Amino acid sequence: MLWLNSDAEAIRYMQNIYAEIEKRNRVLLENNVDTWSSMTTNRNPRQLIVVDEFSNLSDGLANRDRDELWRWARMSTQEGGKTGIHIAIALQDPTADNIDLRIRRNCLPVSFRVRDSFSSRAVLAAGGAELLPPRQFITRLNGLQRGVSITATDDDIAAFIAARPVAPAAPPTWIDAEPVADAAEEIADTDPVASLAQQIRPAWASGERSKSGLARSIGKAYAGTSFTKRLSDAIEMLEREASTPTPTA
């Protein structure tokens, strides 16, 4: 378990997670396999990264740092599964403002009872979680599915683990390493949405709001399914940045 000395330190952890994903992707390519479970030799263990109170964490950051945190998290959730790195992000008060919709598309959403239908839609893209009784949850897996959780004691958990022994694994030292600046910049270039947002930022700052106008500002035509989708995501990033007030001391 890692404790943050500062909110900004979370960005470094997210960078390191994605750097490990990139490293494992190269190993997959070298071994001509598609998934980490297909590796038979020299395979590091699968990892589950659990981040609690993610919305509080991101809300404590300034606009650009918040975008950086979500960007690394989005890239990791999108690409990590096949490399044996899985990420669970927990939020206590989910809203449309503190959940990146692109992360929701890459994750299996699970919701216990929430405050209102708006929070339910932020997680599940559907209402209903606000009406759940205690210990029940809803997940979106081939449609909405309802389930019942258990309330396990410490003794229950200890007995469960004792009945299913596994070989000990060394903690992942890579997650707490100091990132190499050049490597971080190289990884940052792999996010086409953030790169496009930076390209259209001057035209956006001058008041241009039409998609065709923003495309023309960087010498592009507003055409093609992949580019138009990327442009919409880049505009969403700039809108979110502009709508979030900068914290004051």
Side-chain angles (χ1 to χ4, degrees), residues 12-203:
R12 175 166 65 88
Y13 289 139
M14 282 295 172
Q15 287 177 335
N16 288 347
I17 291 169
Y18 189 75
E20 177 67 13
I21 291 171
E22 287 284 275
K23 178 181 176 181
R24 293 190 180 197
N25 269 322
R26 290 191 291 271
V27 173
L28 292 177
L29 183 62
E30 292 168 359
N31 287 271
N32 198 29
V33 295
D34 295 327
T35 62
W36 203 245
S37 58
S38 301
M39 293 283 296
T40 56
T41 59
N42 299 324
R43 179 164 67 93
N44 289 330
R46 301 172 72 90
Q47 303 284 349
L48 173 62
I49 311 295
V50 181
V51 186
D52 197 14
E53 297 287 4
F54 196 86
S55 58
N56 287 348
L57 177 63
S58 65
D59 288 346
L61 299 173
N63 291 352
R64 183 156 301 206
D65 287 341
R66 184 184 303 111
D67 285 342
E68 278 289 282
L69 179 70
W70 279 106
R71 181 164 70 94
W72 292 111
R74 182 173 66 250
M75 294 165 65
S76 296
T77 56
Q78 182 175 354
E79 302 179 35
K82 71 175 183 178
T83 66
I85 294 180
H86 308 275
I87 300 178
I89 294 176
L91 305 94
Q92 292 293 334
D93 186 21
T95 69
D97 293 330
N98 63 26
I99 293 183
D100 187 301
L101 298 184
R102 287 159 292 181
I103 283 187
R104 190 178 69 185
R105 297 187 194 111
N106 294 321
C107 296
L108 174 66
V110 178
S111 179
F112 289 89
R113 184 169 182 170
V114 292
R115 181 172 52 187
D116 50 40
S117 62
F118 298 105
S119 295
S120 178
R121 291 188 178 92
V123 178
L124 302 170
E130 74 279 8
L131 303 175
L132 285 171
R135 294 175 48 196
Q136 291 195 16
F137 63 88
I138 296 177
T139 183
R140 179 173 286 281
L141 180 63
N142 298 322
L144 295 178
Q145 304 288 338
R146 182 175 292 196
V148 179
S149 64
I150 64 171
T151 304
T153 66
D154 290 345
D155 290 340
D156 292 333
I157 296 172
F160 181 90
I161 294 174
R164 296 163 177 81
V166 296
T173 56
W174 49 263
I175 196 170
D176 200 29
E178 289 296 329
V180 179
D182 292 343
E185 292 174 3
E186 180 181 345
I187 293 170
D189 290 340
T190 65
D191 186 354
V193 172
S195 176
L196 182 56
Q198 288 298 100
Q199 293 177 56
I200 66 174
R201 187 183 296 276

